[in-house]
Amino acid sequence: MLAFKDFRSRELAKRALEVIEKLSTGESFTFMHVCGTHEQAITKHGLRSLLPENIKLIAGPGCPVCVTPASDVDAAVALAEDGKVVLTYGDALRVPGSELSLAQVKAKGGEVRVVYGIREAIKLAKAEPEKEFVFFSIGLDTTAPSIAAEVARGLPANLSILNALRLTVPIMELLMGMGDLHFEGYLAPGHVSAIIGARAYEVIPKAYGMPVVISGFEPIDVLLSIAMLIKQIYSGEARVENEYTRAVSYEGNIIAQELISRVFDVATVQWRGIGRVPFSGLKLREEYAEWDARERYDLKESRGVDIRPGCSCHLVIIGKLSPQECRMFRSACTPAKPYGPCMVSQEGTCNVAYRYSQQEV
Amino acid sequence: MCLAIPGVVKEIRGNIAVVDYGGVVKEADISLLESVEVGDYVIVHVGYAITKLTESEAKESIATWKEALERLAGF
Ligand code: SF4
């Protein structure tokens, strides 16, 4: 069996750092990634401290749990309080709603269960046909095809979807338009790209002149991608390059894309800490409305309290602030007792920073 | 939840593959992929294989990295 640790050859990483240093000629560059798994890889391997000082890596909104707004959590909470069985991913349990998280409703006797994905949700719903189940479906482009595939096949009658799926490219576009946020290139998320393909990012260099490199998740992938971004800048180019060719193609996963457009419409949705972003989310199409929990239970959208006083998640999510700059970090906010959404999921920037910060020094 | 991990396909039953992630064995839905064979490396996310990477491609990527780096170094 192939040892995936081969990917971590120290010699290669050392050489990559040398190349980055040589290429960048001391000039300062800031690059943004938008992926929780990239943040884990970068922080776990201490890449920020290994990179030359003039290269800065910032984390954008790449953690689906963090960007799910309080209004969506409130809807899930209301369903659990109303006697429905709410199913969701483990790391969505403790995301704060306006008042309660799903974990808190569960502690008060609500039926909330953790599942690994929608297949398990279907099994549970079939096993107890007398109960009504709702799957709280958070996630980005990577997760959407799993939901689309099952909705297209037809869900059990006692299961519906509380959908909170969001799209990566529209949020990347939005961030480039924020006048006070400066960066010179994007590291695009590898597994989102496996679905949407390199093609999906072309608007970014074309319309905004911003270089994009699709990156894998090994330290060497990230370093090589940084070197590729620097080279694009010095050559006066801006295009989409694919470093992660072993998993990502130009077209992406066509079967998945077709399923997504069959089952979902693109919709304007709220992102926590960012606001409403045009065409940045997915909504079940009308012909599948019977499986839309919002339709089935006539849910009203709450205003939702996204950021509690003192939490700086809205700035952490867009890469303006590092977790360490939040005064709640480590004191009032820890993974065991998260105060803000960025501390909840294993992919949240604050959570990652908490878990790996000791190792980084 | 976003974690997507590579594993090797051990067995296929219709839409479902048995995938080995270095000792941990789990089922995955393979209906999002055009063709999957026993021995293929797949990346699985929330129970669905989203893309395939063959062992040879994965192995070659070490050589590919080296090459890419040296090309960049010469820039
Ligand atoms: S440390 Fe906690 S309170 Fe501070 S920004 Fe992160 S999640 Fe919010």
Side-chain angles (χ1 to χ4, degrees), chain A residues 307-317 321-334 337-344 349-351:
Chain A
I307 304 296
R308 298 161 74 187
C311 170
S312 306
C313 229
H314 53 303
L315 298 174
V316 172
I317 282 176
L321 211 70
S322 71
Q324 288 82 356
E325 290 172 284
C326 170
R327 60 192 165 82
M328 312 287 251
F329 183 72
R330 270 185 196 289
S331 51
C333 186
T334 63
K337 255 190 125 212
Y339 180 73
C342 302
M343 189 59 90
V344 175
T349 307
C350 297
N351 182 295

Side-chain angles (χ1 to χ4, degrees), chain A residues 145 148-150 152 254-264, chain B residues 31-32:
Chain A
E150 297 303 342
I254 303 281
I255 298 177
Q257 290 168 21
E258 278 172 5
L259 276 166
I260 292 170
S261 48
R262 172 146 42 118
V263 169
F264 295 111
Chain B
S31 60
L32 298 175

